[in-house]
Amino acid sequence: PIVNEEEMVAAAQRNVQMVIKHIFEIPDTTVTDDGVLVTLPKRSIDPSLRMPREKPLPAKKPKTRWQKFAEAKGIKKKKRSRMVWDDNVKDWVPRWGAYSTKHIEDKLTWAIEVGAHDDPYEDPFAKRRAEKKLTVAKQKMREARNKLEAVGKKLPVGVPVGNDIGRGFKRKQTKEQLKEALRRTQIATGSRGEFDKLGKNEQVVKQTKKTKVHPKKVNEE
């Protein structure tokens, strides 16, 4: 092994001289005004020669639930056009984005019919926006579930309470913790749950009331 700088310089010099010597021993050499030109021979790479990799091979990505379903049903992905025809504006509009057909339809829909079983005092536009947000949240939850299932894991079931919020579900929630989570959820709105509708079979958790203590007035002498 080379232990000092002088030996390293000497070894590098010998190797460079050897390479140059073998280059000029090539028969296809031409002397020009610019100097000696050497044409390197074409060498076919041996297919059995295995070159080392700098980094390991990338791990094979696990298939998602949709990819497995598509393979089982023989569904092939088709590329859709970016622009689609919109009958409202009589023009081609983007399929996605701010100027898509869905956004144009939302802008042109200025009235929504109230159904027979709907609340006449409820804002239908706010209800539709809430439903869209819920749909987006459900889709993100499905995507997260599919990614976890692809690596052999499952989404935790339950409600994080107290110190478990943002840290995952490391232990099973007790009945008292679930009640506390439900209590916090029911008063998490601006009206503290006064105008919120309860879900099916949802029970109202008794909320603790805070009593205001007024300071006693001292009669000035």
Side-chain angles (χ1 to χ4, degrees):
I2 300 175
V3 294
N4 54 35
E5 186 177 357
E6 294 180 357
E7 293 182 2
M8 185 183 301
V9 173
Q13 182 178 1
R14 290 195 302 271
N15 292 332
V16 171
Q17 289 177 350
M18 187 180 300
V19 170
I20 295 175
K21 177 183 178 182
H22 285 292
I23 289 176
F24 282 98
E25 288 178 354
I26 296 175
D28 193 359
T29 305
T30 306
V31 180
T32 62
D33 296 336
D34 297 331
V36 181
L37 300 179
V38 179
T39 303
L40 298 178
K42 295 181 180 180
R43 181 178 179 184
S44 60
I45 300 176
D46 187 1
S48 62
L49 181 63
R50 302 183 65 180
M51 299 296 293
R53 289 179 58 91
E54 180 186 1
K55 297 180 181 179
L57 288 172
K60 188 176 181 181
K61 293 184 178 180
K63 296 180 181 179
T64 61
R65 177 182 291 193
W66 165 250
Q67 291 175 343
K68 294 178 181 178
F69 176 79
E71 289 182 359
K73 298 295 182 180
I75 301 174
K76 295 183 179 180
K77 187 176 180 180
K78 296 181 180 179
K79 187 177 181 180
R80 297 190 295 177
S81 60
R82 181 178 174 273
M83 307 295 288
V84 293
W85 178 260
D86 189 277
D87 293 331
N88 295 320
V89 296
K90 305 298 181 183
D91 196 4
W92 294 92
V93 296
R95 187 185 297 272
W96 307 280
Y99 304 98
S100 61
T101 55
K102 292 183 179 180
H103 287 78
I104 293 174
E105 186 177 355
D106 291 343
K107 292 180 180 179
L108 295 178
T109 305
W110 56 273
I112 299 177
E113 183 180 359
V114 179
H117 302 284
D118 295 338
D119 186 2
Y121 300 102
E122 186 180 13
D123 187 358
F125 294 96
K127 181 180 179 181
R128 185 172 63 177
R129 288 193 296 268
E131 290 176 352
K132 287 184 178 180
K133 289 182 180 179
L134 181 61
T135 303
V136 173
K138 287 182 178 179
Q139 178 61 26
K140 290 183 178 180
M141 182 65 71
R142 294 192 202 99
E143 292 176 0
R145 178 200 62 190
N146 292 342
K147 289 180 180 179
L148 288 176
E149 288 183 354
V151 296
K153 297 182 180 180
K154 291 185 178 181
L155 273 178
V157 180
V159 181
V161 180
N163 297 329
D164 291 336
I165 297 177
R167 300 182 181 179
F169 299 81
K170 296 183 180 180
R171 57 179 180 271
K172 189 177 180 180
Q173 305 297 327
T174 62
K175 186 177 180 180
E176 288 74 16
Q177 288 177 326
L178 294 176
K179 281 187 176 181
E180 176 63 19
L182 180 60
R183 186 189 69 80
R184 294 183 183 183
T185 305
Q186 290 179 347
I187 60 173
T189 57
S191 62
R192 295 182 63 83
E194 184 176 354
F195 304 104
D196 297 342
K197 288 185 177 181
L198 296 177
K200 188 178 180 181
N201 299 329
E202 181 180 354
Q203 297 179 359
V204 179
V205 181
K206 186 178 180 181
Q207 306 293 340
T208 57
K209 294 184 179 180
K210 296 182 180 180
T211 56
K212 294 183 179 179
V213 178
H214 299 282
K216 295 181 179 180
K217 296 182 179 179
V218 180
N219 296 329
E220 295 182 357
E221 295 182 356

